Amino acid sequence: MAIDLRSDTVTRPSPVMRQAMAVAEVGDDVYGEDPTVRQLEQRAAELVGLEAGLFVPSGTMSNLVAVMTHLHPGDELYAEAEAHVLYYEQGGCARVAGAMPHPILGVAGRFSGDDLRRHVRPADLHFPRPGLVAVENTHNRSGGEVWTVEETEDVLRAARELGLATHLDGARLFNAAVALEVPAQALASGFDSVSICLSKGLGAPVGSVLLGSRSFIAQARRNRKVVGGGMRQAGILAAGGLAALTDGVGRLAEDHRHAAQLADGLDALPGLSVAPVRHRTNMVMVDVTAPAPLWVERLRPRGVLVNAVGPNRLRLVTHLDVSQADVAEALAAFAELAKEAAAWS
Ligand SMILES: *Cc1c(COP(=O)(O)O)cnc(C)c1O
């Protein structure tokens, strides 16, 4: 089987996870009667330190429902310019939730409390109402870069002063917590809402959980229904999510080690340069002098799958289906191709 480094979403459920899904107790979750979904929502809420949770089919829906719940149409949503919520979600925040996107040019996906203060304008008839600021930790487009506890608190402090609601897109929150060796609550509990993905590095086949106060989640439950996210015997999926929370977090450090090995190995090759990060999580961004699509095309027959995320940039993501041996094999394929890549045009 190919060594699939395109994304941490490509993982397949383990036999243990499939077994848990097969025997899951279920009910109609739209009626609030699925015990496994409830268990997952409670467990996720405890892990991030918020009151309540809502199981949703995807991280995209989780962010969308969060924006719908926090904002009225026309209110401003502040986020880093390349944050997933602005960059990768078809503009759903504007198109469906009616939010006015306000991008903040950050550094490696981060911005400061003062950056936010500079962007938020005073109350004035001409301006949209300031509404919500979103933080993404880890930050996907910058190669899995981490926001530290201090950086997070700095922005949360500014948001409180400015009267903004706060949302954490924590699709890879546990990667950040593991890289910083802090509990997830330290990065999450100050936010009004938090979204976590179960289907990325944690290894579940489907699902995200949106977390917040009980009243926020009650309203979010209504909004999930209107976008078609009310699911029935969803306990089968939630059981996979519970297994992911139980078994997935503890092994993320291994993914980070593998990513660091890939980064070191690739950076040493001619014509490749790895974008530096302060904390290596499970992603590696590689700048290549030869066109990135050619790299993608020529690695494929060698059994190595990667994504091009720019004309001269590749993204590699490690996950539970990438072994130590796979890392070595992928590096060997890159080394082989690097010898000829200078001649590609
Ligand atoms: C993947 C991702 C999402 C969306 O999750 P889907 O389940 O793919 O819709 C949201 N935010 C970030 C940072 C992500 O990486």
Side-chain angles (χ1 to χ4, degrees):
M1 210 162 65
I3 301 165
D4 197 340
L5 298 164
R6 290 171 302 166
S7 172
D8 47 7
T9 55
V10 301
T11 57
R12 291 176 177 83
S14 67
V16 171
M17 187 179 281
R18 281 182 186 265
Q19 183 58 24
M21 295 170 77
V23 301
E25 213 184 313
V26 297
D28 188 329
D29 182 52
V30 173
Y31 291 153
E33 290 173 2
D34 190 301
T36 310
V37 171
R38 286 189 168 182
Q39 203 189 328
L40 170 66
E41 291 171 345
Q42 273 166 21
R43 179 90 191 92
E46 282 159 20
L47 280 173
V48 303
L50 293 180
E51 273 178 12
L54 182 70
F55 186 42
V56 287
S58 69
T60 300
M61 188 184 287
S62 195
N63 282 339
L64 175 63
V65 166
V67 174
M68 289 172 79
T69 307
H70 283 298
L71 297 184
H72 298 291
D75 293 351
E76 250 174 337
L77 163 63
Y78 305 87
E80 201 281 323
E82 293 201 353
H84 199 283
V85 67
L86 301 187
Y87 198 94
Y88 281 126
E89 298 178 11
Q90 277 193 31
C93 61
R95 175 176 168 185
V96 184
M100 171 76 186
H102 187 130
I104 297 176
L105 277 179
V107 175
R110 299 185 309 276
F111 53 88
S112 67
D114 280 341
D115 292 332
L116 182 61
R117 288 183 187 95
R118 275 192 291 279
H119 278 266
V120 175
R121 294 168 291 181
D124 182 296
L125 177 69
H126 298 84
F127 304 145
R129 281 198 189 88
L132 172 67
V133 59
V135 162
E136 184 176 312
N137 197 8
T138 64
H139 188 268
N140 187 331
R141 288 280 302 170
S142 69
E145 186 61 277
V146 162
W147 287 60
T148 64
V149 173
E150 295 70 31
E151 288 160 353
T152 302
E153 283 174 350
D154 179 43
V155 164
L156 286 174
R157 205 161 31 244
R160 270 193 296 275
E161 265 170 46
L162 296 160
L164 299 177
T166 55
H167 175 68
L168 173 63
D169 181 353
R172 296 184 182 80
L173 170 65
F174 295 103
N175 294 87
V178 165
L180 292 168
E181 298 183 44
V182 299
Q185 292 100 314
L187 295 166
S189 61
F191 285 89
D192 297 314
S193 62
V194 176
S195 172
I196 59 167
C197 280
L198 305 166
S199 62
K200 302 273 169 83
L202 299 183
V206 176
S208 282
V209 188
L210 178 62
L211 296 315
S213 67
R214 274 185 203 92
S215 62
F216 176 86
I217 291 299
Q219 191 56 39
R221 202 173 286 282
R222 283 188 61 82
N223 289 330
R224 180 187 67 172
K225 191 76 176 77
V226 79
V227 294
M231 298 180 286
R232 302 299 178 172
Q233 285 71 34
I236 290 176
L237 299 174
L242 277 165
L245 288 178
T246 305
D247 300 328
V249 180
R251 53 159 309 290
L252 292 176
E254 188 182 327
D255 295 344
H256 298 178
R257 262 196 313 279
H258 288 161
Q261 288 164 0
L262 282 170
D264 289 347
L266 295 175
D267 200 46
L269 295 175
L272 281 76
S273 124
V274 168
V277 288
R278 299 178 308 172
H279 299 273
R280 180 64 63 192
T281 57
N282 70 331
M283 288 189 188
V284 184
M285 295 291 190
V286 192
D287 294 316
V288 285
T289 44
L294 285 182
W295 272 100
V296 171
E297 197 179 291
R298 287 166 197 195
L299 282 163
R300 194 182 300 117
R302 292 167 190 262
V304 179
L305 307 181
V306 303
N307 270 343
V309 292
N312 292 89
R313 180 167 269 210
L314 301 173
R315 190 187 74 172
L316 284 69
V317 189
T318 56
H319 51 76
L320 57 88
D321 288 334
V322 176
S323 67
Q324 183 65 57
D326 292 338
V327 169
E329 208 177 312
L331 282 173
F334 267 96
E336 196 61 30
L337 284 174
K339 290 184 205 154
E340 53 180 78
W344 302 347
S345 56

